[in-house]
Amino acid sequence: VTEEKEPTVLVTAGDGKIVGRVVTGEGVDEVALEGASVTSQLYFPGGEQNFGLVGEHRAEARCDAEGQFEIAVPGHGAYRLAVTHPGYAPLSRDKIRSGAELTLRLDAGARLSGRVLALNDQRAIHGARLTLRRAKGTWSVSVTSDEDGTFLFDAAPAGTLYMTTEHPEFVSRQDEEVVLTPGPATERDVKLDPGKRIVGRVINPQDVPVEAAVVRIDGREAETGIQGGFGVGGDGAKPPSIRGVAGGV
């Protein structure tokens, strides 16, 4: 008795849908990427309108064991497809029309790791937000540093990218160039300058210290101690703006 296998059915495009396959490698090394995510949304180039459609559209499909996907689209406009899969660099394609049949090929992802440290004393900075982006296009991804200051971008596109690092108590570092290649992770530590520190006391009209008041300065905040004292980090690039004091005053 021979076991009958179900035949592989290839999806074909038609009006109102976009179909295709997501793979990696080429030729004999080509491998279908089961479970890859394909997301579609309306494409609006540089201030133009997408007259083929009215309203909004966003849909997602998962690739089957053959790497195939099918996404229903509501009309004849242009679409942007975004493709992701763990361990692979993300891919986006613009100006895709209803009825298209595509082969979307993902490259192995590049990795970037390191630690976020204070410039003055090398202490680890927890909770820093790091954003990696392409110079052009819509792709960007953000991570947050751990308690020991470590961070990891696990599947970024290879090539020249730009990284921004931000933390409320430190001077931000904007759009630093990073060159990534597939393979072992690129190691890069980020050191943030604490800038100038603003200190003071909160007192009431009778000159009595106010405990547990919240002081907000340029988006940063601190709570006063038992003697009304506070300290808030600042970047020192411009005069501080005290937005308000709350809590018992």
Side-chain angles (χ1 to χ4, degrees), residues 108-116 130-133 139 141-145 149-165 176-190:
R111 306 173 77 228
L112 173 64
S113 65
R115 300 180 70 206
V116 183
L130 301 97
T131 300
L132 206 57
R133 68 172 182 86
W139 182 85
V141 65
S142 297
V143 299
T144 301
S145 61
T150 59
F151 66 89
L152 172 65
F153 292 97
D154 190 38
T160 301
L161 304 174
Y162 296 88
M163 183 168 67
T164 294
T165 308
E176 295 183 290
E177 185 176 294
V178 181
V179 179
L180 302 183
T181 57
T186 299
E187 299 284 342
R188 178 161 180 170
D189 290 344
V190 180

Side-chain angles (χ1 to χ4, degrees), residues 187-209:
E187 299 284 342
R188 178 161 180 170
D189 290 344
V190 180
K191 296 183 179 181
L192 297 183
D193 188 344
K196 296 181 179 180
R197 189 165 180 80
I198 302 168
V199 299
R201 296 175 69 229
V202 177
I203 57 176
N204 66 17
Q206 289 73 44
D207 291 337
V208 176

